[in-house]
Amino acid sequence: MDNNFDVVVIGAGPGGYVAAIRSAQLGLKTACVESRKTLGGTCLNVGCIPSKSLLHASELYHKAKKEFNNLGIETTDLKVNLSKMMGNKNKSVITLTKGVEFLFKKNKIFHLKGKGSVLDKNTVLVIDDSKKKNTYKAKNIIIATGSIPTSLPGVKIDEKTIVSSTGALSFSKAPKELVVIGGGYIGLELSSVWKRLGSNVTVIEYLDHIIPGMDKDISSEFLKILTKQGISFKLNSKVTGINVTKDRAEVNFVNNKSSISEKLESDKVLVAVGRKPNIGDDIEKVGIKLNQQHKIQVNHKFETSITNIYAIGDAIDKGPMLAHKAEDEGIAVAEIIAGQAGHVNYDVIPAVIYTNPEVAMVGKTEEELKKNNISYKIGKFPFLANSRAKVNNETEGFVKVIADKKSDKVLGVSIIGALAGTMIAELALAMEFGASSEDIARTCHAHPTHSEGVKEAALAVDKRPIHF
Ligand SMILES: Cc1cc2nc3c(=O)[nH]c(=O)nc-3n(C[C@H](O)[C@H](O)[C@H](O)COP(=O)(O)OP(=O)(O)OC[C@H]3O[C@@H](n4cnc5c(N)ncnc54)[C@H](O)[C@@H]3O)c2cc1C
């Protein structure tokens, strides 16, 4: 193989593999280095895909147990076969990671197996499992090395008793007691999975609310719903330490307001307090600038401080750490390298939590608008008044549309309810095209669908919902 490339991508997560495919589509000779055995990064191997597989399976089990009877579907001897459920999850991961391999072959992308590092602005070193070294010349390098879980000071993740999300995706049996540190989306999705599969789950969150960054109305509603589902919450609480003895953990925490200390015993502790960029020593050695959070600084063209070296995805200082953000950046950076005008609109990146009900948002929250002194108007519509949601017994939650007070342009939408994650796409598209709430309200929505709730919330911005 000739070791000269137009583009060498380091990391084959949703940022890196998409950047590689788009580069190849644009006629650039492309290679992608990956240190993991399989392609697809965190997302396909230990993130989005395995978590959604377990969420789906555990939700069906929960429904079969708690809801089927009301629908006239009688079940007997219902039980979980966890190893089969895990097998199904692993099968999905294998199918999808193999799918990326297929796409690499189809697009004639060179898959370089091993750990890549940047030697200089045109050279990448790859060390494979047998420690064999190879260097590759690249006109352009794209760093897409993603992120890894963080922990708390003094808390060591051993992936046995104290686990990261990776460990919590592979428990061999449902822990009797599970303590989850962190009430963000990863912590809550996995709390839902294990609660449904039989664990007693307690979430300890430092702030006085869950899902930081999302609309407070949604966060309060979500807290009520999850509490009703049996998940316990200790809000406003700071974990001060965890003692592990044999296979048990004792989690110590203190209430930020009352300063009262408490402790909880559990079989497993999931630390879900966030993720940090996965940055090798090489990055700083070659002089690529990082910000204070140790993220790679890039400009609007995804260029780092070194010419010809670009960065995208979880590793950079732009946007949320989400797979679809990384993918869009992968497309944009390839187009920019090829001389086209790739771009990512960071104002319109949807975020979804795949619990039941789902939670989704796009654009600004009410709190952000208040903070920035932007005048707005709100339209809300509860799923209790939506016919399809009623028929399906999915009446929890609501749609909240926020529009500019003067121009009526949609500034943000938050949804809590069944199918929120699917419905948010319509709103992202509307916002991308600069729609007003009136535009959404005048768009015909099929009946009976949950999406009619979106139309009604848009009508409610002008105080004229029909069904509420
Ligand atoms: C449990 C969990 C659930 C999630 N669910 C969702 C979800 O539902 N939706 C969503 O949008 N996001 C979700 N995410 C986040 C999502 O997985 C990330 O935002 C996304 O994977 C980031 O993509 P990336 O390409 O930047 O990096 P990554 O996916 O982290 O990929 C980086 C790749 O680079 C490789 N690599 C690193 N360094 C080197 C090196 N030196 N040489 C070679 N290879 C290297 C790594 O092995 C890895 O495969 C979830 C994350 C977790 C942990």
Short mmCIF file of all heavy atoms in Angstrom, two decimals, residues 325-384:
data_model
loop_
_atom_site.label_atom_id
_atom_site.label_comp_id
_atom_site.label_asym_id
_atom_site.label_seq_id
_atom_site.Cartn_x
_atom_site.Cartn_y
_atom_site.Cartn_z
N LYS A 325 -24.11 15.25 16.29
CA LYS A 325 -23.29 16.47 16.13
C LYS A 325 -21.95 16.08 15.51
O LYS A 325 -21.46 16.70 14.56
CB LYS A 325 -23.08 17.14 17.50
CG LYS A 325 -22.35 18.46 17.37
CD LYS A 325 -21.31 18.74 18.45
CE LYS A 325 -20.08 17.90 18.43
NZ LYS A 325 -18.85 18.55 18.93
N ALA A 326 -21.36 14.97 16.03
CA ALA A 326 -20.08 14.50 15.51
C ALA A 326 -20.21 14.14 14.02
O ALA A 326 -19.35 14.47 13.20
CB ALA A 326 -19.61 13.29 16.31
N GLU A 327 -21.32 13.48 13.67
CA GLU A 327 -21.52 13.08 12.27
C GLU A 327 -21.61 14.29 11.35
O GLU A 327 -21.00 14.34 10.28
CB GLU A 327 -22.82 12.27 12.12
CG GLU A 327 -22.75 10.91 12.74
CD GLU A 327 -23.98 10.07 12.41
OE1 GLU A 327 -24.41 10.06 11.24
OE2 GLU A 327 -24.52 9.44 13.33
N ASP A 328 -22.39 15.29 11.79
CA ASP A 328 -22.55 16.49 10.95
C ASP A 328 -21.21 17.21 10.79
O ASP A 328 -20.90 17.74 9.72
CB ASP A 328 -23.60 17.44 11.55
CG ASP A 328 -25.02 16.95 11.25
OD1 ASP A 328 -25.14 15.85 10.71
OD2 ASP A 328 -25.97 17.69 11.55
N GLU A 329 -20.40 17.20 11.86
CA GLU A 329 -19.08 17.82 11.76
C GLU A 329 -18.19 17.02 10.81
O GLU A 329 -17.38 17.58 10.07
CB GLU A 329 -18.44 17.90 13.15
CG GLU A 329 -19.11 18.95 14.03
CD GLU A 329 -18.63 18.94 15.48
OE1 GLU A 329 -18.00 17.95 15.90
OE2 GLU A 329 -18.92 19.91 16.20
N GLY A 330 -18.36 15.67 10.84
CA GLY A 330 -17.58 14.81 9.94
C GLY A 330 -17.86 15.15 8.48
O GLY A 330 -16.94 15.22 7.66
N ILE A 331 -19.13 15.37 8.17
CA ILE A 331 -19.50 15.73 6.79
C ILE A 331 -18.93 17.11 6.45
O ILE A 331 -18.29 17.30 5.41
CB ILE A 331 -21.04 15.71 6.63
CG1 ILE A 331 -21.54 14.27 6.72
CG2 ILE A 331 -21.47 16.35 5.30
CD1 ILE A 331 -23.04 14.11 6.73
N ALA A 332 -19.14 18.04 7.38
CA ALA A 332 -18.72 19.43 7.12
C ALA A 332 -17.20 19.52 6.91
O ALA A 332 -16.74 20.17 5.97
CB ALA A 332 -19.16 20.33 8.27
N VAL A 333 -16.43 18.84 7.78
CA VAL A 333 -14.97 18.99 7.68
C VAL A 333 -14.46 18.39 6.36
O VAL A 333 -13.56 18.95 5.71
CB VAL A 333 -14.24 18.40 8.92
CG1 VAL A 333 -14.21 16.89 8.92
CG2 VAL A 333 -12.83 18.93 9.02
N ALA A 334 -15.05 17.28 5.93
CA ALA A 334 -14.62 16.67 4.67
C ALA A 334 -14.92 17.62 3.51
O ALA A 334 -14.09 17.80 2.60
CB ALA A 334 -15.34 15.34 4.46
N GLU A 335 -16.08 18.25 3.55
CA GLU A 335 -16.45 19.17 2.47
C GLU A 335 -15.53 20.39 2.47
O GLU A 335 -15.13 20.88 1.41
CB GLU A 335 -17.94 19.56 2.61
CG GLU A 335 -18.83 18.34 2.30
CD GLU A 335 -20.32 18.58 2.49
OE1 GLU A 335 -20.70 19.63 3.05
OE2 GLU A 335 -21.11 17.68 2.09
N ILE A 336 -15.19 20.86 3.64
CA ILE A 336 -14.28 22.01 3.74
C ILE A 336 -12.91 21.64 3.17
O ILE A 336 -12.32 22.38 2.37
CB ILE A 336 -14.19 22.51 5.21
CG1 ILE A 336 -15.51 23.20 5.58
CG2 ILE A 336 -13.00 23.45 5.41
CD1 ILE A 336 -15.70 23.44 7.06
N ILE A 337 -12.41 20.46 3.54
CA ILE A 337 -11.10 20.01 3.01
C ILE A 337 -11.15 19.90 1.49
O ILE A 337 -10.20 20.24 0.79
CB ILE A 337 -10.69 18.66 3.65
CG1 ILE A 337 -10.30 18.89 5.12
CG2 ILE A 337 -9.54 18.00 2.90
CD1 ILE A 337 -10.10 17.62 5.94
N ALA A 338 -12.31 19.48 0.97
CA ALA A 338 -12.46 19.33 -0.50
C ALA A 338 -12.76 20.66 -1.18
O ALA A 338 -13.04 20.69 -2.38
CB ALA A 338 -13.56 18.32 -0.79
N GLY A 339 -12.74 21.75 -0.42
CA GLY A 339 -12.94 23.07 -1.02
C GLY A 339 -14.40 23.49 -1.11
O GLY A 339 -14.73 24.48 -1.75
N GLN A 340 -15.27 22.73 -0.46
CA GLN A 340 -16.68 23.11 -0.46
C GLN A 340 -17.02 23.90 0.81
O GLN A 340 -16.16 24.14 1.64
CB GLN A 340 -17.56 21.86 -0.55
CG GLN A 340 -17.34 21.08 -1.84
CD GLN A 340 -18.31 19.91 -1.97
OE1 GLN A 340 -19.09 19.65 -1.08
NE2 GLN A 340 -18.24 19.22 -3.09
N ALA A 341 -18.32 24.26 0.94
CA ALA A 341 -18.70 25.12 2.06
C ALA A 341 -19.47 24.34 3.13
O ALA A 341 -20.63 24.60 3.39
CB ALA A 341 -19.55 26.28 1.55
N GLY A 342 -18.82 23.35 3.76
CA GLY A 342 -19.49 22.58 4.81
C GLY A 342 -19.73 23.44 6.04
O GLY A 342 -18.92 24.32 6.35
N HIS A 343 -20.85 23.21 6.70
CA HIS A 343 -21.07 23.95 7.95
C HIS A 343 -22.00 23.17 8.88
O HIS A 343 -22.73 22.28 8.44
CB HIS A 343 -21.63 25.35 7.68
CG HIS A 343 -23.13 25.38 7.70
ND1 HIS A 343 -23.88 24.74 6.74
CD2 HIS A 343 -24.01 25.92 8.56
CE1 HIS A 343 -25.15 24.91 7.01
NE2 HIS A 343 -25.28 25.61 8.11
N VAL A 344 -21.95 23.52 10.18
CA VAL A 344 -22.87 22.91 11.16
C VAL A 344 -23.57 24.05 11.87
O VAL A 344 -22.93 25.01 12.31
CB VAL A 344 -22.08 22.05 12.19
CG1 VAL A 344 -22.99 21.55 13.30
CG2 VAL A 344 -21.40 20.87 11.50
N ASN A 345 -24.89 23.96 11.96
CA ASN A 345 -25.67 24.98 12.67
C ASN A 345 -25.83 24.54 14.13
O ASN A 345 -26.68 23.71 14.44
CB ASN A 345 -27.03 25.13 11.98
CG ASN A 345 -27.89 26.18 12.66
OD1 ASN A 345 -27.49 26.78 13.65
ND2 ASN A 345 -29.07 26.41 12.12
N TYR A 346 -24.98 25.10 14.99
CA TYR A 346 -25.00 24.67 16.39
C TYR A 346 -26.24 25.12 17.15
O TYR A 346 -26.48 24.68 18.26
CB TYR A 346 -23.72 25.16 17.11
CG TYR A 346 -22.50 24.39 16.65
CD1 TYR A 346 -21.66 24.89 15.66
CD2 TYR A 346 -22.21 23.14 17.17
CE1 TYR A 346 -20.57 24.18 15.20
CE2 TYR A 346 -21.13 22.40 16.72
CZ TYR A 346 -20.31 22.93 15.75
OH TYR A 346 -19.24 22.20 15.30
N ASP A 347 -27.04 26.02 16.54
CA ASP A 347 -28.26 26.47 17.21
C ASP A 347 -29.38 25.44 17.06
O ASP A 347 -30.41 25.55 17.72
CB ASP A 347 -28.75 27.81 16.61
CG ASP A 347 -27.81 28.93 16.99
OD1 ASP A 347 -27.17 28.81 18.05
OD2 ASP A 347 -27.71 29.91 16.22
N VAL A 348 -29.20 24.51 16.15
CA VAL A 348 -30.29 23.56 15.88
C VAL A 348 -29.78 22.11 15.95
O VAL A 348 -29.80 21.38 14.96
CB VAL A 348 -30.94 23.86 14.51
CG1 VAL A 348 -32.18 22.98 14.28
CG2 VAL A 348 -31.37 25.32 14.41
N ILE A 349 -29.31 21.73 17.14
CA ILE A 349 -28.87 20.34 17.32
C ILE A 349 -29.81 19.69 18.34
O ILE A 349 -29.81 20.07 19.51
CB ILE A 349 -27.41 20.29 17.79
CG1 ILE A 349 -26.53 20.80 16.65
CG2 ILE A 349 -27.02 18.85 18.18
CD1 ILE A 349 -25.08 20.81 16.89
N PRO A 350 -30.63 18.76 17.89
CA PRO A 350 -31.57 18.14 18.84
C PRO A 350 -30.85 17.27 19.87
O PRO A 350 -29.75 16.78 19.62
CB PRO A 350 -32.47 17.28 17.95
CG PRO A 350 -31.74 17.10 16.68
CD PRO A 350 -30.76 18.21 16.53
N ALA A 351 -31.48 17.14 21.03
CA ALA A 351 -30.96 16.23 22.07
C ALA A 351 -32.13 15.38 22.55
O ALA A 351 -33.22 15.91 22.74
CB ALA A 351 -30.38 17.02 23.22
N VAL A 352 -31.88 14.09 22.73
CA VAL A 352 -32.97 13.16 23.09
C VAL A 352 -32.54 12.27 24.25
O VAL A 352 -31.39 11.81 24.30
CB VAL A 352 -33.35 12.27 21.87
CG1 VAL A 352 -34.46 11.31 22.24
CG2 VAL A 352 -33.76 13.13 20.67
N ILE A 353 -33.47 12.02 25.16
CA ILE A 353 -33.26 11.01 26.22
C ILE A 353 -34.27 9.90 25.95
O ILE A 353 -35.47 10.15 25.88
CB ILE A 353 -33.48 11.62 27.61
CG1 ILE A 353 -32.62 12.88 27.79
CG2 ILE A 353 -33.14 10.60 28.70
CD1 ILE A 353 -32.88 13.63 29.08
N TYR A 354 -33.75 8.67 25.81
CA TYR A 354 -34.59 7.58 25.30
C TYR A 354 -35.24 6.75 26.40
O TYR A 354 -35.25 5.52 26.34
CB TYR A 354 -33.76 6.70 24.36
CG TYR A 354 -33.26 7.46 23.15
CD1 TYR A 354 -32.10 8.22 23.23
CD2 TYR A 354 -33.97 7.46 21.97
CE1 TYR A 354 -31.64 8.94 22.14
CE2 TYR A 354 -33.52 8.18 20.86
CZ TYR A 354 -32.36 8.92 20.96
OH TYR A 354 -31.92 9.64 19.89
N THR A 355 -35.75 7.43 27.41
CA THR A 355 -36.46 6.76 28.49
C THR A 355 -37.91 6.59 28.06
O THR A 355 -38.27 6.88 26.92
CB THR A 355 -36.38 7.65 29.74
OG1 THR A 355 -36.60 9.00 29.33
CG2 THR A 355 -35.03 7.54 30.43
N ASN A 356 -38.77 6.18 28.98
CA ASN A 356 -40.20 6.15 28.68
C ASN A 356 -40.93 6.96 29.76
O ASN A 356 -40.96 6.52 30.90
CB ASN A 356 -40.70 4.71 28.67
CG ASN A 356 -42.18 4.66 28.28
OD1 ASN A 356 -42.69 5.60 27.70
ND2 ASN A 356 -42.85 3.58 28.63
N PRO A 357 -41.50 8.11 29.46
CA PRO A 357 -41.54 8.74 28.15
C PRO A 357 -40.16 9.28 27.75
O PRO A 357 -39.28 9.43 28.58
CB PRO A 357 -42.52 9.90 28.37
CG PRO A 357 -42.38 10.24 29.82
CD PRO A 357 -42.13 8.95 30.51
N GLU A 358 -40.05 9.57 26.45
CA GLU A 358 -38.81 10.18 25.97
C GLU A 358 -38.81 11.68 26.27
O GLU A 358 -39.86 12.27 26.50
CB GLU A 358 -38.69 9.97 24.45
CG GLU A 358 -38.47 8.52 24.07
CD GLU A 358 -38.30 8.30 22.57
OE1 GLU A 358 -38.69 9.18 21.77
OE2 GLU A 358 -37.79 7.24 22.20
N VAL A 359 -37.61 12.24 26.24
CA VAL A 359 -37.46 13.69 26.42
C VAL A 359 -36.64 14.19 25.24
O VAL A 359 -35.66 13.54 24.85
CB VAL A 359 -36.70 13.99 27.74
CG1 VAL A 359 -36.44 15.47 27.88
CG2 VAL A 359 -37.48 13.47 28.94
N ALA A 360 -37.06 15.30 24.65
CA ALA A 360 -36.29 15.81 23.51
C ALA A 360 -36.35 17.32 23.48
O ALA A 360 -37.33 17.93 23.93
CB ALA A 360 -36.86 15.24 22.21
N MET A 361 -35.30 17.91 22.98
CA MET A 361 -35.31 19.37 22.84
C MET A 361 -34.49 19.79 21.62
O MET A 361 -33.63 19.05 21.15
CB MET A 361 -34.75 20.06 24.08
CG MET A 361 -33.28 19.84 24.29
SD MET A 361 -32.56 20.95 25.51
CE MET A 361 -32.49 22.49 24.63
N VAL A 362 -34.80 20.99 21.14
CA VAL A 362 -33.96 21.61 20.11
C VAL A 362 -34.04 23.12 20.32
O VAL A 362 -35.08 23.64 20.73
CB VAL A 362 -34.40 21.19 18.68
CG1 VAL A 362 -35.81 21.62 18.34
CG2 VAL A 362 -33.42 21.70 17.63
N GLY A 363 -32.92 23.79 20.09
CA GLY A 363 -32.90 25.26 20.25
C GLY A 363 -32.75 25.65 21.70
O GLY A 363 -32.16 24.93 22.51
N LYS A 364 -33.33 26.80 22.03
CA LYS A 364 -33.11 27.39 23.36
C LYS A 364 -34.15 26.92 24.37
O LYS A 364 -35.28 26.62 24.04
CB LYS A 364 -33.19 28.91 23.26
CG LYS A 364 -32.19 29.53 22.31
CD LYS A 364 -30.89 29.82 23.04
CE LYS A 364 -29.88 30.53 22.17
NZ LYS A 364 -29.03 29.60 21.40
N THR A 365 -33.74 26.93 25.65
CA THR A 365 -34.68 26.68 26.74
C THR A 365 -35.21 28.03 27.22
O THR A 365 -34.62 29.08 26.92
CB THR A 365 -33.98 26.00 27.92
OG1 THR A 365 -32.97 26.88 28.42
CG2 THR A 365 -33.34 24.68 27.51
N GLU A 366 -36.29 27.98 27.99
CA GLU A 366 -36.85 29.23 28.52
C GLU A 366 -35.81 29.93 29.41
O GLU A 366 -35.66 31.16 29.35
CB GLU A 366 -38.11 28.91 29.34
CG GLU A 366 -38.85 30.16 29.74
CD GLU A 366 -40.17 29.88 30.46
OE1 GLU A 366 -40.61 28.72 30.51
OE2 GLU A 366 -40.75 30.86 30.97
N GLU A 367 -35.07 29.16 30.17
CA GLU A 367 -34.07 29.74 31.09
C GLU A 367 -32.99 30.49 30.30
O GLU A 367 -32.59 31.59 30.69
CB GLU A 367 -33.40 28.64 31.93
CG GLU A 367 -34.31 27.99 32.96
CD GLU A 367 -35.35 27.06 32.38
OE1 GLU A 367 -35.06 26.39 31.38
OE2 GLU A 367 -36.49 27.02 32.91
N GLU A 368 -32.54 29.91 29.19
CA GLU A 368 -31.51 30.58 28.38
C GLU A 368 -32.02 31.91 27.83
O GLU A 368 -31.30 32.91 27.81
CB GLU A 368 -31.11 29.69 27.19
CG GLU A 368 -30.13 28.61 27.53
CD GLU A 368 -29.87 27.71 26.32
OE1 GLU A 368 -30.77 26.90 25.99
OE2 GLU A 368 -28.82 27.85 25.71
N LEU A 369 -33.28 31.91 27.37
CA LEU A 369 -33.85 33.13 26.78
C LEU A 369 -33.97 34.22 27.86
O LEU A 369 -33.65 35.37 27.61
CB LEU A 369 -35.21 32.84 26.15
CG LEU A 369 -35.15 31.91 24.94
CD1 LEU A 369 -36.54 31.51 24.49
CD2 LEU A 369 -34.39 32.55 23.78
N LYS A 370 -34.42 33.80 29.04
CA LYS A 370 -34.53 34.76 30.16
C LYS A 370 -33.16 35.37 30.44
O LYS A 370 -33.03 36.58 30.58
CB LYS A 370 -35.01 34.02 31.41
CG LYS A 370 -36.49 34.19 31.67
CD LYS A 370 -36.84 33.72 33.07
CE LYS A 370 -38.33 33.42 33.08
NZ LYS A 370 -38.66 32.21 33.80
N LYS A 371 -32.16 34.49 30.53
CA LYS A 371 -30.80 34.94 30.87
C LYS A 371 -30.29 35.94 29.83
O LYS A 371 -29.60 36.90 30.16
CB LYS A 371 -29.88 33.71 30.91
CG LYS A 371 -28.65 33.91 31.75
CD LYS A 371 -27.93 32.60 31.95
CE LYS A 371 -26.47 32.78 31.62
NZ LYS A 371 -25.80 31.54 31.29
N ASN A 372 -30.68 35.74 28.57
CA ASN A 372 -30.19 36.63 27.50
C ASN A 372 -31.16 37.76 27.19
O ASN A 372 -31.00 38.43 26.15
CB ASN A 372 -29.90 35.81 26.24
CG ASN A 372 -28.75 34.88 26.46
OD1 ASN A 372 -27.69 35.28 26.94
ND2 ASN A 372 -28.95 33.60 26.18
N ASN A 373 -32.14 37.99 28.08
CA ASN A 373 -33.12 39.08 27.91
C ASN A 373 -33.81 39.07 26.56
O ASN A 373 -34.00 40.12 25.94
CB ASN A 373 -32.44 40.45 28.11
CG ASN A 373 -32.13 40.68 29.55
OD1 ASN A 373 -32.93 40.29 30.42
ND2 ASN A 373 -30.99 41.29 29.83
N ILE A 374 -34.16 37.89 26.09
CA ILE A 374 -34.89 37.79 24.81
C ILE A 374 -36.38 37.61 25.13
O ILE A 374 -36.73 36.73 25.93
CB ILE A 374 -34.36 36.61 23.96
CG1 ILE A 374 -32.89 36.89 23.60
CG2 ILE A 374 -35.20 36.40 22.69
CD1 ILE A 374 -32.16 35.72 22.99
N SER A 375 -37.23 38.46 24.55
CA SER A 375 -38.67 38.35 24.82
C SER A 375 -39.26 37.19 24.03
O SER A 375 -38.96 37.04 22.84
CB SER A 375 -39.41 39.62 24.41
OG SER A 375 -38.77 40.71 24.98
N TYR A 376 -40.08 36.42 24.69
CA TYR A 376 -40.61 35.21 24.05
C TYR A 376 -42.06 34.97 24.45
O TYR A 376 -42.57 35.57 25.40
CB TYR A 376 -39.76 34.01 24.45
CG TYR A 376 -39.70 33.79 25.94
CD1 TYR A 376 -40.68 33.05 26.59
CD2 TYR A 376 -38.67 34.33 26.71
CE1 TYR A 376 -40.64 32.86 27.96
CE2 TYR A 376 -38.62 34.16 28.08
CZ TYR A 376 -39.61 33.42 28.70
OH TYR A 376 -39.58 33.23 30.06
N LYS A 377 -42.71 34.11 23.70
CA LYS A 377 -44.05 33.64 24.08
C LYS A 377 -44.03 32.11 24.02
O LYS A 377 -43.24 31.53 23.26
CB LYS A 377 -45.12 34.25 23.18
CG LYS A 377 -44.80 34.22 21.70
CD LYS A 377 -45.77 35.04 20.88
CE LYS A 377 -45.39 34.93 19.41
NZ LYS A 377 -46.33 35.49 18.49
N ILE A 378 -44.92 31.52 24.81
CA ILE A 378 -44.88 30.05 24.96
C ILE A 378 -46.21 29.43 24.60
O ILE A 378 -47.27 29.98 24.93
CB ILE A 378 -44.54 29.69 26.42
CG1 ILE A 378 -43.08 30.04 26.72
CG2 ILE A 378 -44.80 28.21 26.72
CD1 ILE A 378 -42.66 29.75 28.13
N GLY A 379 -46.17 28.29 23.93
CA GLY A 379 -47.37 27.49 23.71
C GLY A 379 -47.12 26.09 24.24
O GLY A 379 -46.09 25.48 23.93
N LYS A 380 -48.04 25.61 25.10
CA LYS A 380 -47.85 24.27 25.67
C LYS A 380 -49.06 23.42 25.36
O LYS A 380 -50.18 23.94 25.35
CB LYS A 380 -47.75 24.38 27.19
CG LYS A 380 -46.35 24.46 27.74
CD LYS A 380 -46.50 24.32 29.24
CE LYS A 380 -45.26 24.35 29.99
NZ LYS A 380 -45.49 24.21 31.42
N PHE A 381 -48.84 22.15 25.13
CA PHE A 381 -49.97 21.26 24.90
C PHE A 381 -49.70 19.91 25.57
O PHE A 381 -48.69 19.28 25.29
CB PHE A 381 -50.21 21.08 23.41
CG PHE A 381 -51.48 20.33 23.12
CD1 PHE A 381 -52.70 20.98 23.15
CD2 PHE A 381 -51.46 18.97 22.84
CE1 PHE A 381 -53.89 20.28 22.91
CE2 PHE A 381 -52.63 18.27 22.59
CZ PHE A 381 -53.85 18.93 22.63
N PRO A 382 -50.62 19.47 26.45
CA PRO A 382 -50.39 18.19 27.15
C PRO A 382 -50.85 17.00 26.31
O PRO A 382 -51.87 17.08 25.62
CB PRO A 382 -51.28 18.34 28.39
CG PRO A 382 -52.40 19.23 27.96
CD PRO A 382 -51.87 20.13 26.88
N PHE A 383 -50.11 15.89 26.40
CA PHE A 383 -50.52 14.69 25.66
C PHE A 383 -51.82 14.09 26.19
O PHE A 383 -52.46 13.30 25.50
CB PHE A 383 -49.38 13.66 25.65
CG PHE A 383 -48.27 14.04 24.71
CD1 PHE A 383 -47.04 14.46 25.18
CD2 PHE A 383 -48.48 14.04 23.34
CE1 PHE A 383 -46.03 14.85 24.31
CE2 PHE A 383 -47.49 14.43 22.45
CZ PHE A 383 -46.25 14.84 22.94
N LEU A 384 -52.22 14.51 27.37
CA LEU A 384 -53.50 14.10 27.93
C LEU A 384 -54.65 14.49 26.99
O LEU A 384 -55.70 13.85 26.97
CB LEU A 384 -53.68 14.81 29.29
CG LEU A 384 -54.70 14.27 30.26
CD1 LEU A 384 -54.35 12.86 30.67
CD2 LEU A 384 -54.76 15.18 31.49
#
